[in-house]
Amino acid sequence: MYYAGIDVGSLTAQAVVINAKGIVAYKSIGVKPHPVQSAKTVVDMLIQEQGINWNEVKFCVSTGYGREQVQAEGLSQDNVSEISCHGMGASWLVPDVRTVIDIGGQDAKVIRVGKGGELVDFVMNDKCAAGTGRFLEVQARTLGLSLDELGTVSFSAERTLELSSRCSIFCETEVLHYLQRGHTKADIAAGVNRAMAERVAALVRRVGLEKEVTMSGGVAKNAAVRAELERMLNVRLIKYDTDSQIVGALGAALMARKMGGGS
Amino acid sequence: MEVKTIVDECLELWRDPYPQMARLREEGERLVGVLCSYTPEEVLHAAGLTPVRLMGAMRSLTHADAHLQVYCCSLARTDLDMALAGELDFLEGAVFVQTCDTMMRLSDIWRRNTAFQYHGDLVLPIRMGEEVSLPFLVEEVRRFRRGVEEFTGQEIWDDALVESIHVYNRNRRLADRLYRARASNPTALDGLSAMSCLVAGFWMRREKHNELLHEILEGIEDSGEATGGEKVPLLVSGSVCTMPDLYELLLELGADVIDDDLCCGHRYFDAYVDESAPPDEALAKRMWERVNCPAKHQCIEDRFERLVRQVRDSGAKGVVFYLQSFCEPHLFDIPYLRQRLQDELEVPSLVLESELQSFSRGQLRTRLQAFIETISGV
């Protein structure tokens, strides 16, 4: 008997299938124009590539921005906010976790959870895309680097350049300015990653930091941002044993297991 | 008329009250814009004028940013923008109660850059509820009354003012009954409907609003046995709720607003004017005793104590602070209010800020849903 979670975000979509013991299969894709299309595609790929028999899925929960449309289409039986799902997923992966930092494509969340993974409090970016994955994407594109390179290259920086603007677009202008002045991509990338970490740290301080702390979402894959955050918050960010991008979908699958009577 | 029909009309008014204001003008009403719940509307009413509340609008700004900094609240910016764009030409003027820094400066900017015939100012003492500030406030009400008299060219007789006070007190009593009816029978009237019926009164003659409230109350009170609501009960606190979006979303997500601490809601109709006292003094006394806008200090009841009482009495399981971005008086109070709600009542709260009266609806939905999940579990 399987339980599934589908997380359709702004940039990527994931599906996770679990059973009574744990994760059976998962898949992550870039989103399609419509959330239902993304959900169908990621489920189809899970079926085709990993041999999951979807008829054996007893209960499915959708989450992320497309959660209600996915449910309306009959692909899931219920929907839960991605904030609760990220908390639940993180808590299952790291049972002692109390603070979950999740930086997605267009939003940044800091979630406080209780002992059982239940949601206690949260804060979310509410002004603009500064402090989200989109910020890194814009700056990486300007630097001519891939997202992976943006993280790795900054470890060879000789100095970390200051990016003072709060605005992603103005930061792009600052990056261009540094490039024209002949600064190395590594030094600029280090500045970009630090600026990103500063925005996330500010969000963490708003909700209050309680150990243990984990980080999920695409930005968690950027080692330089992680390192900066650990330094700023004076805390170790515990790494997941699995792909940090599937935490929301995993939480949804765990919710599905609970709702479907699988405990 | 059916309760639902009245509620639907009120909801439409809440969504966009400006065409209704223009209609009132065409019908011969002499409209004066009011930006603050501290305005002694009775004085305008007694002078034959019709106060209408300006609660901003969801719009892109084309004029106001040339005069106001972008860190002023969106209420001031959108109201000024409409005035400068000529969209409020149905008004004969507006009243500015000097509560916060933005409202004080807005009054000057409005006066210098618009061509309305009437401009009213009322200065509130910084500290309310203290003996020394009451005589000042009484004199301010008298000065305001003289200003209205000069504009209309007619004296406002005491008995006319007492009559207007009576009309407004009746409105407050009916609004209070509406809230009580709503609390005791949430299935007959949800938070969205109750709020719609209340705010609709900002854009009609007060006597007509009294009739409307009376009709709704009769409809609800005859609707049969009261049944408890199954939605998660929440309290909304803040200044004004320009659009009904928040209330609508909460209903969709399985929650309902069972009480509020808004200056376009419960704070607006709270406390009565003493009809047996001289009218100027009685109007000032109500303002002086009323629960404070956070822009003012000290009143008879502390803001937090009142919030606690409201949360306890209403049975709210959570508080949503709904604020205008950059509204410093409200925002300064938030960390303190949130902490005490959590520590003393174990009631969680969520802070929402709206800029130009709008939200990213998808994000607002996620945050509200997550907040409701913290209360009710998943």
Side-chain angles (χ1 to χ4, degrees), chain B residues 171-242:
Chain B
N171 191 250
R172 293 178 185 115
R173 266 189 288 275
L174 287 166
D176 188 56
R177 261 178 70 192
L178 180 81
Y179 268 49
R180 285 176 196 278
R182 185 260 163 290
S184 61
N185 194 353
T187 47
L189 194 75
D190 56 41
L192 173 68
S193 305
M195 193 62 172
S196 301
C197 295
L198 182 73
V199 298
F202 295 149
W203 309 296
M204 62 180 74
R205 196 76 185 156
R206 202 47 51 124
E207 291 86 341
K208 194 177 174 201
H209 190 230
N210 284 347
E211 285 170 22
L212 183 147
L213 289 178
H214 193 77
E215 202 172 341
I216 291 168
L217 282 164
E218 278 191 335
I220 302 167
E221 287 162 0
D222 291 345
S223 70
E225 202 169 309
T227 48
E230 287 168 7
K231 294 185 176 292
V232 176
L234 300 176
L235 186 142
V236 175
S237 174
S239 52
V240 296
C241 220
T242 304

Side-chain angles (χ1 to χ4, degrees), chain A residues 186-207:
Chain A
D187 289 358
I188 304 171
V192 167
N193 292 323
R194 177 172 291 177
M196 175 75 189
E198 280 167 353
R199 285 151 181 69
V200 177
L203 212 56
V204 174
R205 292 186 184 110
R206 271 172 64 187
V207 81

Side-chain angles (χ1 to χ4, degrees), chain B residues 76-234:
Chain B
R77 288 167 72 205
T78 55
D79 281 338
L80 179 65
D81 202 68
M82 284 187 288
L84 294 173
E87 293 170 30
L88 301 180
D89 286 352
F90 44 73
L91 298 177
E92 295 196 21
V95 178
F96 295 82
V97 180
Q98 306 214 342
T99 44
C100 61
D101 290 350
T102 298
M103 281 299 147
M104 289 182 211
R105 299 289 78 80
L106 179 64
S107 173
D108 297 335
I109 292 166
W110 189 287
R111 190 201 322 259
R112 289 174 67 112
N113 295 284
T114 63
F116 296 109
Q117 303 165 55
Y118 169 69
H119 190 97
D121 275 308
L122 185 93
V123 180
L124 293 183
I126 296 293
R127 297 176 76 89
M128 307 283 266
E130 287 189 352
E131 292 303 323
V132 68
S133 58
L134 184 57
F136 171 83
L137 200 49
V138 173
E139 194 42 53
E140 267 303 292
V141 171
R142 288 187 182 131
R143 195 181 58 78
F144 176 71
R145 181 175 167 178
R146 286 195 297 275
V148 175
E149 287 171 336
E150 279 167 27
F151 167 61
T152 59
Q154 297 207 329
E155 192 177 340
I156 300 169
W157 296 94
D158 268 5
D159 56 355
L161 189 49
V162 169
E163 181 54 36
S164 294
I165 288 171
H166 182 71
V167 170
Y168 272 79
N169 269 348
R170 177 150 192 265
N171 191 250
R172 293 178 185 115
R173 266 189 288 275
L174 287 166
D176 188 56
R177 261 178 70 192
L178 180 81
Y179 268 49
R180 285 176 196 278
R182 185 260 163 290
S184 61
N185 194 353
T187 47
L189 194 75
D190 56 41
L192 173 68
S193 305
M195 193 62 172
S196 301
C197 295
L198 182 73
V199 298
F202 295 149
W203 309 296
M204 62 180 74
R205 196 76 185 156
R206 202 47 51 124
E207 291 86 341
K208 194 177 174 201
H209 190 230
N210 284 347
E211 285 170 22
L212 183 147
L213 289 178
H214 193 77
E215 202 172 341
I216 291 168
L217 282 164
E218 278 191 335
I220 302 167
E221 287 162 0
D222 291 345
S223 70
E225 202 169 309
T227 48
E230 287 168 7
K231 294 185 176 292
V232 176
L234 300 176

Side-chain angles (χ1 to χ4, degrees), chain A residues 1-126:
Chain A
M1 188 66 68
Y2 293 149
Y3 301 92
I6 303 171
D7 179 3
V8 182
S10 54
L11 292 178
T12 60
Q14 293 82 26
V16 171
V17 173
I18 62 170
N19 60 14
K21 292 177 187 165
I23 299 172
V24 177
Y26 67 85
K27 182 74 190 172
S28 181
I29 60 164
V31 286
K32 306 292 176 192
H34 194 277
V36 173
Q37 213 182 337
S38 301
K40 279 182 177 163
T41 306
V42 74
V43 167
D44 282 347
M45 289 174 88
L46 205 56
I47 293 167
Q48 283 161 18
E49 292 176 12
Q50 301 187 42
I52 295 295
N53 181 354
W54 200 256
N55 291 328
E56 286 183 37
V57 172
K58 188 183 174 192
F59 204 94
C60 178
V61 164
S62 50
T63 188
Y65 281 124
R67 63 190 178 278
E68 279 153 341
Q69 286 152 296
V70 172
Q71 187 189 348
E73 198 66 20
L75 289 167
S76 68
Q77 284 73 54
D78 208 336
N79 78 83
V80 175
S81 75
E82 54 266 40
I83 295 171
S84 288
C85 287
H86 274 282
M88 181 61 80
S91 180
W92 189 80
L93 291 166
V94 181
D96 291 333
V97 73
R98 293 293 175 271
T99 308
V100 181
I101 302 168
D102 174 67
I103 315 294
Q106 285 178 17
D107 64 28
K109 308 179 265 289
V110 181
I111 304 160
R112 288 269 301 280
V113 294
K115 283 181 184 169
E118 74 279 7
L119 188 57
V120 174
D121 199 0
F122 66 93
V123 65
M124 201 168 170
N125 67 311
D126 53 2

Side-chain angles (χ1 to χ4, degrees), chain B residues 322-347:
Chain B
Y322 180 91
L323 307 167
Q324 313 279 326
S325 284
F326 313 113
C327 176
E328 288 180 349
H330 272 283
L331 287 164
F332 279 140
D333 276 0
I334 293 299
Y336 163 79
L337 292 177
R338 288 196 76 203
Q339 188 71 50
R340 286 193 66 183
L341 278 174
Q342 189 60 51
D343 292 351
E344 294 171 37
L345 294 180
E346 291 185 0
V347 167

